[in-house]
Structures are given as C-alpha cells and as structure tokens.
C-alpha cells in the first residue's frame, strides 16, 4: 500500500504543481464540466470467510460530469480481484426426525474488469473541501475464474459477467477549477457463486469487495 501511494504522488505531481501555481481562493463550481482522472488503492475481499489473504491492489480510470455544483455522474473502468469462500458442516442428526443438511464448501477466486456507473452528491464542508455520498451499478467481466474444493452437490458454471450494486462515501478537494484530488470508500455486492440449500431460504454466496480509492481528476478544457 505504501508503494501504491508513492506511485500515485508521482502520477499526480504535474497536476498538483500546476494547481498550486494557479490556485485561487474563490469557491469552485464544476457545473457543466467534464473531469478525467485515475485512481488506485486497496481492495478488500470481504466474501472470503476461510482466512484467505484478502487485501490486494486495485486501480482504474475515471470520467465524471457535473450536472450541478453538488451533483455528478461518473463512469469508470476498474480492475480488481474478487472471490468467495465458505464452509457449512453436515448437520444431519441420524435420527428418524432429521431436519439437518449436507455439508457444503468451496473457494472461488477471480479477477474482473468492472465498469461502474455512479451518481454522486457532494456537500460542502469548507470552501472547496467537500464530503460525498454515491450509489450506482457496475457490470463486471471476469478475466480469471477458479473454482476449487466445491462440494459435488454444488454447481460451478456461474456466468462470467454480472452486475453489482455500489454504495460509497468520500471526500473531494478542488485545488482550482481544473484539478481536484479525492479519496473514497465503496462497497460492491456482486454475482452469486454458490447456492446452498436450506430448510426455508437458500444461503446464497455472493462476491463482495470493499475498495478504497485515492485519485486525481482534471478538466482539460481550455
């Protein structure tokens, strides 16, 4: 993670130098402007339940359009790894009145190229520093799919592309009307990778990721 932050600083340096040279104290209004940028950070696979290493690198590129001072729509292309692991023991009692279930287990490991589309609300905290809330949808395409240790009674032919719901929060700071830096946290709830039968409701296993993004975005309009 330390190397990730150092790399981001070098990527952002030209924008930051230019921003400091042209910085103004006026409140920036990004309304009706496009911003393009890059982000990277930490990926935590929260759907790993059996102790696997779940903290990895992730990154992507961004295009964001402000429909107003406080509202924007963004589209991104991101790459990150994901997965699911689970284990449910056999609960059969062996008695004549047996309501138990079979044992179920499996480990899925994958990587995706994801295209998230989100709507964001920015609320001003102080001058050009603001907080934000966002929600949206991502469509992900698996570039790697590995199913191991799956019980024979579970299928492993799930689709290699699927949708995910997104929610998140963060902070944004406009250095000037051209450049902003930001950090945010977002949660992805994605495709199903196992369906464990139960007495009343099936226990579905979905890929879930928490992403921390550190990024810079710039308006290239002259």
């Amino acid at each position: 993670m330390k190397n990730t932050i150092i790399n981001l600083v070098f990527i952002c340096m030209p924008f930051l130098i230019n921003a400091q040279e042209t910085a103004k104290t006026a409140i920036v209004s990004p309304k009706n402007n496009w911003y393009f940028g890059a982000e990277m950070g930490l990926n935590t696979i929260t759907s790993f339940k059996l102790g696997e290493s779940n903290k990895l690198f992730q990154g992507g590129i961004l295009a964001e359009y402000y429909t107003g001072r406080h509202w924007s729509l963004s589209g991104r292309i991101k790459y990150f790894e994901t997965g699911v692991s689970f284990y449910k023991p056999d609960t059969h009692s062996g008695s004549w009145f047996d309501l138990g279930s079979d044992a179920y287990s499996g480990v899925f490991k994958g990587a995706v190229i994801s295209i998230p589309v989100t709507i964001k609300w920015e609320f001003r905290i102080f001058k050009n520093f603001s907080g934000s809330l966002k929600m949206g949808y991502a469509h992900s395409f698996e570039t790697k799919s590995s199913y191991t240790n799956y019980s024979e009674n579970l299928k492993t032919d799930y689709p290699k592309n699927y949708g995910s719901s997104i929610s998140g929060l963060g902070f944004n700071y406009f250095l000037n009307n051209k450049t902003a830096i930001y950090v945010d946290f977002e949660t992805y709830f994605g495709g199903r990778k196992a369906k464990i039968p139960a007495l009343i409701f099936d226990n579905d296993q979905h890929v879930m990721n928490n992403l921390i993004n550190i990024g810079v975005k710039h308006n290239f309009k002259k």
Side-chain angles (χ1 to χ4, degrees), residues 81-175:
E81 295 185 33
T82 190
V84 167
S85 65
F86 58 93
Y87 171 71
K88 182 181 181 300
D90 187 317
T91 59
H92 288 296
S93 66
S95 67
W96 67 272
F97 186 69
D98 187 353
L99 296 178
S101 62
D102 296 335
Y104 297 96
S105 64
V107 177
F108 168 79
K109 293 184 178 181
V112 298
I113 293 175
S114 186
I115 303 176
V117 177
T118 54
I119 181 170
K120 184 177 67 173
W121 171 54
E122 288 186 1
F123 52 93
R124 186 178 303 159
I125 296 175
F126 180 74
K127 292 187 176 180
N128 290 318
F129 178 65
S130 61
S132 65
L133 298 173
K134 66 179 176 180
M135 62 183 302
Y137 169 86
H139 201 81
S140 298
F141 303 86
E142 289 179 1
T143 61
K144 180 177 73 174
S145 305
S146 173
Y147 295 84
T148 59
N149 300 322
Y150 265 64
S151 303
E152 293 183 357
N153 47 10
L154 295 177
K155 73 172 190 175
T156 57
D157 58 346
Y158 287 95
K160 292 184 179 295
N161 60 84
Y162 52 82
S164 301
S165 62
I166 307 172
S167 60
L169 53 87
F171 298 97
N172 186 87
Y173 180 66
F174 279 98
L175 299 168

